[in-house]
Amino acid sequence: MVTETKTLADLAAVKGSEPEAAPVRTQKLDKLGRAYATGKRKNAVARVWLKPGKGMITVNEKDYKAYFARPVLQMLLQQPLDLANRATQYDIRISVAGGGLSGQAGAVRHGISKALTYYEPELRGVLKKQGFLTRDSRVVERKKYGKVKARKSFQFSKR
């Protein structure tokens, strides 16, 4: 026999009164005590290793200020560390390849944010609220046949 549910209270009784708890996040470290994460943006891929230290950031075996010469790009990869107030607590080693400097800086920011959440899971809410854990999925549109570029056409001539 099928029972009818006419009110929200009846529906709650059918489903159950216990809400599902959020998953408990744990620390993810490798055997050397480092947090590893991969960040991506456009065609750039950044591999990030984060460990406790003095605040040194090296990108492809260079200081990050030498690799990313533009102040805007330096600020971009400092954002997650500044937001979490961890600018001088971790040494970060980064290997980045593909794309241009802007895409690489975005990939590094994404990788640092993920590595921070792996090392300190309680920072996840702060970083996620600012959108640092979301991979920016915008990529260059491919060129189509019969077109100059992805959408640009050849000049039209009636005669």
Side-chain angles (χ1 to χ4, degrees):
M1 186 159 136
V2 178
T3 59
E4 281 191 38
T5 55
K6 296 193 179 205
T7 65
L8 289 175
D10 296 339
L11 189 62
V14 170
K15 185 183 174 212
S17 60
E18 53 204 58
E20 292 183 27
V24 177
R25 308 246 180 230
T26 59
Q27 199 177 41
K28 295 180 186 173
L29 302 178
D30 63 5
K31 59 187 171 208
L32 299 175
R34 303 174 302 185
Y36 169 77
T38 305
K40 294 182 180 181
R41 167 84 169 94
K42 291 188 178 181
N43 282 335
V45 179
R47 299 182 299 163
V48 178
W49 289 270
L50 181 128
K51 65 179 182 177
K54 296 177 232 155
M56 288 180 32
I57 302 174
T58 57
V59 180
N60 290 351
E61 307 301 325
K62 293 181 182 176
D63 184 51
Y64 81 100
K65 290 185 179 181
Y67 191 84
F68 295 112
R70 284 187 266 164
V72 173
L73 300 179
Q74 294 172 14
M75 178 211 56
L76 199 67
L77 68 119
Q78 282 286 342
Q79 282 178 333
L81 296 169
D82 292 340
L83 185 69
N85 294 326
R86 306 288 194 274
T88 58
Q89 292 184 10
Y90 295 110
D91 285 344
I92 304 172
R93 205 179 101 237
I94 302 160
S95 170
V96 65
L101 282 178
S102 177
Q104 287 183 351
V108 167
R109 181 179 85 164
H110 185 227
I112 289 174
S113 302
K114 282 174 66 175
L116 275 171
T117 60
Y118 291 156
Y119 203 89
E120 292 186 57
E122 60 272 5
L123 292 176
R124 182 175 169 81
V126 176
L127 294 171
K128 190 164 177 67
K129 195 172 205 178
Q130 290 296 317
F132 294 158
L133 297 177
T134 305
R135 189 229 196 269
D136 191 352
S137 60
R138 296 175 296 169
V139 292
V140 178
E141 189 175 349
R142 77 171 188 87
K143 181 194 175 303
K144 278 75 168 193
Y145 63 90
K147 300 278 187 181
V148 179
K149 298 193 318 189
R151 297 184 182 202
K152 183 178 180 183
S153 297
F154 296 102
Q155 183 174 348
F156 176 73
S157 174
K158 199 168 197 177
R159 293 182 220 305

